[in-house]
């Protein structure tokens, strides 16, 4: 079962991945949690969606400021990952532009590529809004849309929406003035144009040219309506990396985004011990193994030598920027928001788990064990660790079972629990705050006995798959925690990850046995 309780109720894009880690679907949502939740609560799914849901092993997300940014990000992520279930959006290569040609009497139209000479405006997030703007500009300014100038006036001339440059009904200069006004609108400079047209309208009214003043008033009214609509994706040629972090206790939780055309993509997560110059050290180590962009945006100043170091790696200049305001500062705030949502959204679930199990302290570090085999053969074990409610894959471990023959899951659990904590004791390493085993009372008893033999008093629980029942040592009945409680959902997510990790290792072991 996929746990979506840690997903925020924020706009953004979500990514579904299969058990191999490949992204199989990307979507966008006004409310990420509700959208993801809907996939697993509907019972009457269409066949394609049912297959998709059955293939989902994990969910990731990137939060945005609004739904429009989420749509842009969705398109970017689909192009990047090429997920198998995003057929429609993957086929639509990009958002369309409005194109103004370089002809003597420029024509206006829609273009998906920018290879033809002319001026491009966009791209547009909404096709409906793009078409509305195009139709409005053509109607207000009377720009032609025909690919070739005809030899006689067409219907648009007779209904008053084209000045018919094809028959010389308008001069080149007068048409160029209309084009200049249309460009102002397409660039978003509507208010300035309206102010100039209002002055011209007053002048015509004072000169008793009431017919001309009325036409200008109608144009101003149409432009005023357009000025309130947000349609165009801001065009940014800038590309670079953006980094933000949060220091909690003695650790740094850091996210790095690759920025493409003003959109944050490729969220990479890092967690490491705090040091006095951790940001400088991170930049040096990361970019020694990765491509250096033209700009790195960070929230705090670093050693001035960093810019020179990155420039040497890149072979050309690199800007290391600490923005105080503007668009780049806004992007930093989005990244900071994602840091909190990625690393610290699990605090509520951890608190709920502590209360449900009546633990002496918050289970910041949880380790979970599972066993996998095929009819008693190729038996393996897995151990996954979650820190602050998030997978901590650096500490994942897998085990080949050495002392158990045939099907005996409790005995296999006893073996790997003993091996794990005997090693941690011998190496004087930190122990977890909570141990979880996949199974029921038998598996719990075996793991508990292994801990007692090591003189360890770590809290331990078992989670049985069928009814998602939680068992504790020396209590014959499951504790009364509903399966949709945040505490139970967190345990289910951890158990499912241990199960996935165990199955992956079991398959690998059987594959190696088959291949000579």
């Amino acid at each position: 079962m996929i746990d979506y309780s840690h997903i925020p109720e924020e706009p953004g894009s979500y990514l579904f991945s299969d058990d191999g880690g490949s992204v199989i679907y990307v979507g966008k949502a006004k409310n990420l949690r509700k959208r993801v939740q809907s996939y697993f609560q509907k019972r009457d799914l269409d066949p394609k969606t049912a297959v998709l849901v059955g293939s989902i092993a994990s969910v990731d997300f990137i939060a945005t400021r609004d739904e429009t940014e989420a749509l842009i990000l969705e398109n970017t992520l689909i192009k990047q990952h090429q997920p198998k279930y995003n057929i429609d959006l993957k086929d639509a290569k990009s958002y369309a532009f409005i194109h103004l040609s370089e002809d003597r009497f420029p024509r206006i139209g829609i273009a998906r590529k920018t290879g033809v000479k002319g001026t491009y405006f966009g791209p547009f997030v909404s096709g409906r809004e793009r078409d509305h703007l195009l139709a409005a500009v053509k109607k207000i300014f009377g720009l032609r849309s025909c690919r070739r100038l005809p030899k006689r006036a067409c219907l648009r001339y007779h209904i008053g929406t084209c000045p018919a440059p094809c028959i010389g009904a308008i001069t080149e200069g007068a048409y160029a003035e209309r084009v200049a006004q249309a460009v102002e609108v397409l660039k978003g400079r509507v208010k300035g144009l309206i102010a100039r047209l209002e002055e011209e309208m007053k002048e015509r009214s004072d000169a008793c040219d009431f017919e001309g003043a009325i036409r200008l008033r109608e144009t101003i009214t149409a432009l005023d309506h357009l000025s309130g609509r947000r349609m165009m994706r801001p065009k940014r040629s800038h590309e670079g990396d953006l980094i933000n972090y949060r220091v909690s206790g003695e650790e740094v939780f850091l996210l790095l985004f690759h920025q493409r055309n003003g959109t944050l993509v490729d969220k990479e997560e890092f967690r490491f011990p705090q040091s006095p110059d951790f940001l400088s050290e991170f930049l040096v180590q990361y970019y020694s193994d990765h491509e250096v962009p033209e700009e790195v945006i960070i929230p705090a100043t670093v050693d001035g030598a960093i810019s020179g170091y990155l420039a040497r790696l890149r072979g050309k200049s690199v800007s290391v920027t600490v923005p105080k305001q503007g668009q780049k500062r806004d992007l930093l705030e989005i990244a900071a928001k994602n840091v909190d949502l990625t690393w610290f959204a699990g605090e509520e679930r951890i608190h709920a788990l502590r209360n449900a199990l009546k633990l002496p302290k918050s289970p910041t570090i949880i380790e979970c064990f599972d066993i996998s085999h095929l009819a008693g053969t190729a038996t393996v074990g897995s151990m996954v660790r979650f820190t602050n409610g998030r997978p901590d894959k650096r500490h994942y471990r897998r085990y080949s079972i050495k002392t158990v023959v045939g099907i005996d899951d409790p005995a296999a659990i006893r073996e790997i629990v003993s091996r794990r904590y005997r090693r941690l004791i011998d190496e004087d390493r930190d122990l977890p705050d909570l141990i979880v085993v996949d199974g029921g009372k038998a598996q719990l008893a075996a793991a508990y006995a292994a801990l007692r033999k090591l003189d360890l008093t770590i809290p331990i629980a078992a989670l049985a798959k069928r009814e998602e029942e939680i068992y504790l040592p020396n209590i014959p009945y499951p504790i009364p925690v509903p399966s949709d409680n945040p505490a139970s959902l967190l345990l289910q997510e951890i158990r499912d990850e241990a199960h996935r990790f165990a199955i992956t290792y079991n398959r690998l072991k059987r594959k190696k046995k088959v291949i000579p």
Side-chain angles (χ1 to χ4, degrees), residues 47 56 108 125 131 140 209 221 238 274 283 297 350 513:
I56 298 170
I108 193 168
V125 173
D131 293 342
I140 293 170
D209 180 7
T221 301
H238 173 81
Q274 184 187 11
L283 294 173
I297 302 173
I350 291 173
K513 191 174 182 179

PDB file of all heavy atoms in Angstrom, residues 47 56 108 125 131 140 209 221 238 274 283 297 350 513:
ATOM      1  N   PRO A  47      -9.257   0.299 -17.337  1.00  0.00           N
ATOM      2  CA  PRO A  47      -8.191  -0.731 -17.382  1.00  0.00           C
ATOM      3  C   PRO A  47      -6.782  -0.161 -17.393  1.00  0.00           C
ATOM      4  O   PRO A  47      -5.890  -0.663 -16.705  1.00  0.00           O
ATOM      5  CB  PRO A  47      -8.501  -1.487 -18.682  1.00  0.00           C
ATOM      6  CG  PRO A  47      -9.973  -1.310 -18.868  1.00  0.00           C
ATOM      7  CD  PRO A  47     -10.285   0.063 -18.364  1.00  0.00           C
ATOM      8  N   ILE A  56       2.664   0.960  -9.412  1.00  0.00           N
ATOM      9  CA  ILE A  56       3.275   2.025  -8.610  1.00  0.00           C
ATOM     10  C   ILE A  56       3.938   1.442  -7.370  1.00  0.00           C
ATOM     11  O   ILE A  56       3.301   0.742  -6.590  1.00  0.00           O
ATOM     12  CB  ILE A  56       2.228   3.077  -8.201  1.00  0.00           C
ATOM     13  CG1 ILE A  56       1.625   3.745  -9.436  1.00  0.00           C
ATOM     14  CG2 ILE A  56       2.857   4.137  -7.295  1.00  0.00           C
ATOM     15  CD1 ILE A  56       0.423   4.620  -9.128  1.00  0.00           C
ATOM     16  N   ILE A 108      -0.060  36.795 -38.718  1.00  0.00           N
ATOM     17  CA  ILE A 108      -0.024  36.277 -37.356  1.00  0.00           C
ATOM     18  C   ILE A 108      -0.646  34.884 -37.332  1.00  0.00           C
ATOM     19  O   ILE A 108      -1.613  34.615 -38.056  1.00  0.00           O
ATOM     20  CB  ILE A 108      -0.769  37.226 -36.380  1.00  0.00           C
ATOM     21  CG1 ILE A 108      -0.459  36.850 -34.927  1.00  0.00           C
ATOM     22  CG2 ILE A 108      -2.257  37.241 -36.644  1.00  0.00           C
ATOM     23  CD1 ILE A 108      -0.917  37.892 -33.919  1.00  0.00           C
ATOM     24  N   VAL A 125       0.843  28.362 -21.717  1.00  0.00           N
ATOM     25  CA  VAL A 125       0.477  27.235 -20.869  1.00  0.00           C
ATOM     26  C   VAL A 125      -0.864  26.649 -21.288  1.00  0.00           C
ATOM     27  O   VAL A 125      -1.055  25.446 -21.320  1.00  0.00           O
ATOM     28  CB  VAL A 125       0.424  27.688 -19.402  1.00  0.00           C
ATOM     29  CG1 VAL A 125      -0.115  26.589 -18.514  1.00  0.00           C
ATOM     30  CG2 VAL A 125       1.799  28.117 -18.939  1.00  0.00           C
ATOM     31  N   ASP A 131      -5.451  30.700 -27.911  1.00  0.00           N
ATOM     32  CA  ASP A 131      -6.377  30.923 -29.020  1.00  0.00           C
ATOM     33  C   ASP A 131      -7.221  32.170 -28.785  1.00  0.00           C
ATOM     34  O   ASP A 131      -7.538  32.910 -29.731  1.00  0.00           O
ATOM     35  CB  ASP A 131      -7.273  29.696 -29.205  1.00  0.00           C
ATOM     36  CG  ASP A 131      -6.500  28.479 -29.670  1.00  0.00           C
ATOM     37  OD1 ASP A 131      -5.364  28.654 -30.169  1.00  0.00           O
ATOM     38  OD2 ASP A 131      -7.019  27.350 -29.535  1.00  0.00           O
ATOM     39  N   ILE A 140      -8.819  42.916 -32.941  1.00  0.00           N
ATOM     40  CA  ILE A 140      -8.591  44.303 -32.503  1.00  0.00           C
ATOM     41  C   ILE A 140      -7.746  45.071 -33.508  1.00  0.00           C
ATOM     42  O   ILE A 140      -8.058  46.229 -33.843  1.00  0.00           O
ATOM     43  CB  ILE A 140      -7.913  44.312 -31.119  1.00  0.00           C
ATOM     44  CG1 ILE A 140      -8.864  43.758 -30.055  1.00  0.00           C
ATOM     45  CG2 ILE A 140      -7.470  45.726 -30.734  1.00  0.00           C
ATOM     46  CD1 ILE A 140      -8.198  43.499 -28.719  1.00  0.00           C
ATOM     47  N   ASP A 209     -14.165  63.786 -34.295  1.00  0.00           N
ATOM     48  CA  ASP A 209     -14.093  62.520 -35.039  1.00  0.00           C
ATOM     49  C   ASP A 209     -14.654  61.433 -34.124  1.00  0.00           C
ATOM     50  O   ASP A 209     -13.940  60.605 -33.567  1.00  0.00           O
ATOM     51  CB  ASP A 209     -12.646  62.218 -35.425  1.00  0.00           C
ATOM     52  CG  ASP A 209     -12.507  60.919 -36.211  1.00  0.00           C
ATOM     53  OD1 ASP A 209     -13.541  60.318 -36.564  1.00  0.00           O
ATOM     54  OD2 ASP A 209     -11.363  60.485 -36.460  1.00  0.00           O
ATOM     55  N   THR A 221     -11.465  48.886 -24.584  1.00  0.00           N
ATOM     56  CA  THR A 221     -12.265  47.952 -23.779  1.00  0.00           C
ATOM     57  C   THR A 221     -11.768  46.519 -23.959  1.00  0.00           C
ATOM     58  O   THR A 221     -11.623  45.752 -22.991  1.00  0.00           O
ATOM     59  CB  THR A 221     -13.751  48.045 -24.165  1.00  0.00           C
ATOM     60  OG1 THR A 221     -14.212  49.382 -23.958  1.00  0.00           O
ATOM     61  CG2 THR A 221     -14.588  47.078 -23.329  1.00  0.00           C
ATOM     62  N   HIS A 238      17.429  31.512 -19.127  1.00  0.00           N
ATOM     63  CA  HIS A 238      18.400  31.179 -18.090  1.00  0.00           C
ATOM     64  C   HIS A 238      18.361  29.693 -17.736  1.00  0.00           C
ATOM     65  O   HIS A 238      17.311  29.090 -17.634  1.00  0.00           O
ATOM     66  CB  HIS A 238      18.105  32.010 -16.847  1.00  0.00           C
ATOM     67  CG  HIS A 238      18.950  31.631 -15.677  1.00  0.00           C
ATOM     68  ND1 HIS A 238      20.235  32.073 -15.531  1.00  0.00           N
ATOM     69  CD2 HIS A 238      18.686  30.838 -14.620  1.00  0.00           C
ATOM     70  CE1 HIS A 238      20.727  31.579 -14.415  1.00  0.00           C
ATOM     71  NE2 HIS A 238      19.807  30.820 -13.838  1.00  0.00           N
ATOM     72  N   GLN A 274      26.725  18.414   9.583  1.00  0.00           N
ATOM     73  CA  GLN A 274      27.045  19.827   9.463  1.00  0.00           C
ATOM     74  C   GLN A 274      28.521  20.057   9.779  1.00  0.00           C
ATOM     75  O   GLN A 274      29.110  19.411  10.651  1.00  0.00           O
ATOM     76  CB  GLN A 274      26.188  20.652  10.416  1.00  0.00           C
ATOM     77  CG  GLN A 274      26.408  22.152  10.287  1.00  0.00           C
ATOM     78  CD  GLN A 274      25.664  22.926  11.354  1.00  0.00           C
ATOM     79  OE1 GLN A 274      25.159  22.356  12.303  1.00  0.00           O
ATOM     80  NE2 GLN A 274      25.578  24.238  11.193  1.00  0.00           N
ATOM     81  N   LEU A 283      29.650  22.116  -2.761  1.00  0.00           N
ATOM     82  CA  LEU A 283      29.828  22.591  -4.142  1.00  0.00           C
ATOM     83  C   LEU A 283      31.076  21.980  -4.776  1.00  0.00           C
ATOM     84  O   LEU A 283      31.046  21.556  -5.940  1.00  0.00           O
ATOM     85  CB  LEU A 283      29.914  24.119  -4.161  1.00  0.00           C
ATOM     86  CG  LEU A 283      28.646  24.878  -3.744  1.00  0.00           C
ATOM     87  CD1 LEU A 283      28.932  26.375  -3.647  1.00  0.00           C
ATOM     88  CD2 LEU A 283      27.512  24.610  -4.719  1.00  0.00           C
ATOM     89  N   ILE A 297      22.723  29.084  -7.990  1.00  0.00           N
ATOM     90  CA  ILE A 297      21.999  29.981  -7.095  1.00  0.00           C
ATOM     91  C   ILE A 297      21.946  29.340  -5.718  1.00  0.00           C
ATOM     92  O   ILE A 297      21.476  28.206  -5.576  1.00  0.00           O
ATOM     93  CB  ILE A 297      20.577  30.256  -7.620  1.00  0.00           C
ATOM     94  CG1 ILE A 297      20.641  30.866  -9.021  1.00  0.00           C
ATOM     95  CG2 ILE A 297      19.824  31.183  -6.675  1.00  0.00           C
ATOM     96  CD1 ILE A 297      19.285  31.002  -9.684  1.00  0.00           C
ATOM     97  N   ILE A 350       5.552  10.776  12.670  1.00  0.00           N
ATOM     98  CA  ILE A 350       6.431  10.256  13.722  1.00  0.00           C
ATOM     99  C   ILE A 350       5.813  10.507  15.099  1.00  0.00           C
ATOM    100  O   ILE A 350       5.838   9.638  15.978  1.00  0.00           O
ATOM    101  CB  ILE A 350       7.821  10.907  13.616  1.00  0.00           C
ATOM    102  CG1 ILE A 350       8.541  10.413  12.349  1.00  0.00           C
ATOM    103  CG2 ILE A 350       8.666  10.610  14.844  1.00  0.00           C
ATOM    104  CD1 ILE A 350       9.840  11.117  12.071  1.00  0.00           C
ATOM    105  N   LYS A 513      21.663 -17.504 -10.066  1.00  0.00           N
ATOM    106  CA  LYS A 513      21.730 -18.955  -9.967  1.00  0.00           C
ATOM    107  C   LYS A 513      21.395 -19.620 -11.286  1.00  0.00           C
ATOM    108  O   LYS A 513      21.926 -20.672 -11.642  1.00  0.00           O
ATOM    109  CB  LYS A 513      20.758 -19.429  -8.879  1.00  0.00           C
ATOM    110  CG  LYS A 513      20.919 -20.883  -8.511  1.00  0.00           C
ATOM    111  CD  LYS A 513      20.034 -21.233  -7.329  1.00  0.00           C
ATOM    112  CE  LYS A 513      20.221 -22.700  -6.922  1.00  0.00           C
ATOM    113  NZ  LYS A 513      19.368 -23.044  -5.757  1.00  0.00           N
TER     114      LYS A 513
END
